Amino acid sequence: MWKPANILMERCKMQETVDFIQKTFNTKEFIPLHEPRFFGNEKKYLNECIDSTFVSSVGKFVDNFEKVFALKVGSKYAVATVNGTAALHIALILAGVEHGDEVITQPLTFIATCNAISYCGAKPVFVDVGLDTMGLSPKSLENFLTIHCEIVDKKCINKTTGKTIKACVPMHTFGHPCRVDEIKTICDAWHVELIEDAAESLGSYYKEKHTGTFGKLGAFSFNGNKIITSGGGGVIVTDDEALAKRAKHLTTTAKIPHAYEFVHDMIGYNYRLPNLNAALLVAQLEQLNGFLENKRALANEYAEFFSKSADIKFIKEPKDAKSNYWLQAVLLKDKKERDEFLEFTNKNGVMTRPIWRLMNELEMFKTCQCSDLTHSKYLEERVVNIPSSVRL
Ligand SMILES: *Cc1c(COP(=O)(O)O)cnc(C)c1O
């Protein structure tokens, strides 16, 4: 008669977790995973923007945002875009990714990473993540390149497919920085461009350098669920002036500046961030430090609570890193316990979500080449996000 007793224990533990989260968020009502917060100058700037009539593709809030954002992350240039996927797409084009190329990334990511690679006509190659960061593992990357690739004329050729591996896109999962300095060293040695998907990691640092600023270009997102939001939006960062200018050009229909004529010198994109969204974003960015402190305090409370649990482990920031703790996450013992946890919490008004399905298992990416993906699979079956909003 061990089994019923065990089940009772589990129930009890999950009930304790639900009680703790309700206490932490000071409510018995439904608790969402992540809500935006508008405590600052949002309405003031939006009104200013509307009064100015410059609500669309040009305006002072876009310019202001780009300046302040570049300063904030310590990059020389920032170019605002309509969303994070567009930022990634343009970053990949600027890194030279073309039709028929390959791009290394991690299978444990949001679909946008792989979509952006696909928009270039390139194919993702999946390399395993590290259990320490949930982001691309430098060791798996180096192993993959050593086994499968060779350098020919300063190009990284995949010996299996004969294609060129143009770029590598690590992602800082839930804001926890991956070991991006080691990844950069490996990419440099193999003539592969480093583009960071920093969509989730605004306010996260690795060895005191802001994520997204290690590679040639980095991309951030300001979707409604991110740490700060413009409704929808994104940004490309780089230290290279020529690349920043091309990013602006490509995202603004490749129009040649002229007083009244429409002349475009290539096929460009309408990926501009509207000034209206930028107004919201400027106000949000002013509050980032407060949001970061608030999330860190929540992480500490979660860490303390789950430290008493043998079966549910709270995921802390990796070594040498300062995480923004954008989405808080726990690691369950196995898939069965994960499913029970998801079922119980969601039924009891506490929103929780499993980490993404592995990209290489989705229909569109089934034929992509993969390294051994043991760690990705392990995490896919066990990681769950728990409520992470900035508390009032
Ligand atoms: C949010 C996100 C993006 C970009 O998403 P958009 O909705 O296009 O702004 C890209 N990559 C990752 C990993 C993300 O989480």
Side-chain angles (χ1 to χ4, degrees):
M1 287 293 109
W2 282 104
K3 234 180 169 183
N6 261 341
I7 287 166
L8 270 175
M9 284 268 289
E10 292 307 327
R11 278 280 138 76
C12 171
K13 217 177 305 166
M14 290 193 288
Q15 186 61 56
E16 261 179 45
T17 302
V18 164
D19 292 344
F20 175 77
I21 294 176
Q22 286 177 338
K23 196 176 109 229
T24 299
F25 281 88
N26 196 23
T27 180
K28 295 267 179 200
E29 311 268 292
F30 171 73
I31 302 171
L33 197 66
H34 198 278
E35 281 182 310
R37 296 286 184 240
F38 306 109
F39 299 144
N41 289 319
E42 285 87 354
K43 286 181 182 165
K44 180 169 170 257
Y45 295 165
L46 283 169
N47 275 328
E48 265 178 47
C49 185
I50 291 165
D51 291 342
S52 77
T53 76
F54 283 89
V55 294
S56 192
S57 45
V58 290
K60 73 163 197 182
F61 287 108
V62 174
D63 300 339
N64 180 341
F65 165 73
E66 289 176 342
K67 260 190 218 118
V68 178
F69 191 84
L71 270 178
K72 183 97 214 164
V73 300
S75 75
K76 286 205 180 118
Y77 306 95
V79 176
T81 58
V82 71
N83 57 52
T85 313
L88 272 173
H89 181 194
I90 297 298
L92 287 162
I93 292 174
L94 293 178
V97 176
E98 291 174 343
H99 195 91
D101 286 337
E102 292 179 344
V103 175
I104 293 177
T105 191
Q106 57 201 63
L108 204 59
T109 183
F110 178 57
I111 189 76
T113 320
C114 297
N115 281 342
I117 293 167
S118 307
Y119 299 164
C120 298
K123 210 167 171 176
V125 170
F126 297 109
V127 163
D128 207 8
V129 299
L131 288 179
D132 55 341
T133 67
M134 298 187 287
L136 196 78
S137 152
K139 196 156 170 249
S140 306
L141 176 64
E142 182 139 54
N143 278 345
F144 181 88
L145 291 167
T146 307
I147 295 167
H148 297 284
C149 302
E150 61 185 350
I151 298 171
V152 181
D153 294 336
K154 293 195 171 177
K155 280 185 181 165
C156 178
I157 305 295
N158 184 340
K159 289 186 280 187
T160 312
T161 60
K163 308 266 188 189
T164 306
I165 297 184
K166 252 327 154 41
C168 172
V169 188
M171 198 276 284
H172 304 288
T173 306
F174 305 141
H176 296 311
C178 65
R179 285 154 59 187
V180 64
D181 60 341
E182 289 165 67
I183 292 172
K184 169 126 180 42
T185 304
I186 297 164
C187 285
D188 286 348
W190 284 87
H191 300 279
V192 170
E193 299 289 2
L194 174 62
I195 307 290
E196 285 171 83
D197 183 344
E200 307 185 350
S201 63
L202 173 59
S204 299
Y205 295 79
Y206 188 68
K207 297 186 177 168
E208 282 163 34
K209 188 170 161 65
H210 201 290
T211 55
T213 64
F214 286 79
K216 192 175 196 118
L217 299 129
F220 293 82
S221 165
F222 309 112
N223 186 32
N225 63 349
K226 296 300 199 294
I227 189 160
I228 62 168
T229 184
S230 49
V235 70
I236 302 163
V237 296
T238 181
D239 281 340
D240 183 322
E241 186 181 6
L243 285 181
K245 281 193 171 141
R246 283 189 62 208
K248 196 66 173 178
H249 191 60
L250 267 178
T251 52
T252 55
T253 69
K255 186 176 179 294
I256 306 282
H258 190 281
Y260 42 83
E261 281 231 65
F262 289 98
V263 186
H264 306 259
D265 63 353
M266 61 197 293
I267 294 179
Y269 299 84
N270 181 13
Y271 279 176
R272 289 177 277 219
L273 181 72
N275 201 39
L276 197 59
N277 298 76
L280 189 61
L281 196 49
V282 170
Q284 285 270 286
L285 194 54
E286 289 171 352
Q287 296 161 84
L288 178 63
N289 289 348
F291 290 172
L292 288 168
E293 274 170 36
N294 194 302
K295 279 175 178 288
R296 181 161 290 269
L298 177 62
N300 288 338
E301 288 173 40
Y302 273 143
E304 159 89 30
F305 174 75
F306 288 112
S307 70
K308 292 171 206 134
S309 166
D311 299 334
I312 309 175
K313 263 203 236 154
F314 181 71
I315 299 177
K316 291 186 196 159
E317 66 194 345
K319 193 171 150 277
D320 297 325
K322 187 163 187 197
S323 174
N324 65 1
Y325 281 108
W326 165 57
L327 277 192
Q328 318 270 356
V330 289
L331 186 77
L332 277 293
K333 226 166 72 183
D334 52 34
K335 190 163 184 299
K336 189 175 146 285
E337 291 213 356
R338 180 204 76 166
D339 291 342
E340 284 171 11
F341 183 81
L342 285 167
E343 185 71 22
F344 188 88
T345 46
N346 282 295
K347 239 189 210 149
N348 286 281
V350 170
M351 185 168 165
T352 58
R353 285 287 179 270
I355 198 168
W356 313 279
R357 291 286 186 85
L358 298 190
M359 291 296 116
N360 57 296
E361 290 177 8
L362 300 182
E363 202 51 47
M364 310 79 82
F365 303 117
K366 266 188 180 151
T367 64
C368 295
Q369 192 178 2
C370 300
S371 77
D372 173 79
L373 299 178
T374 308
H375 293 159
S376 301
K377 196 72 200 160
Y378 181 90
L379 294 169
E380 183 206 31
E381 290 178 350
R382 292 169 178 78
V383 175
V384 173
N385 290 121
I386 55 178
S388 308
S389 304
V390 166
R391 288 174 296 176
L392 301 169

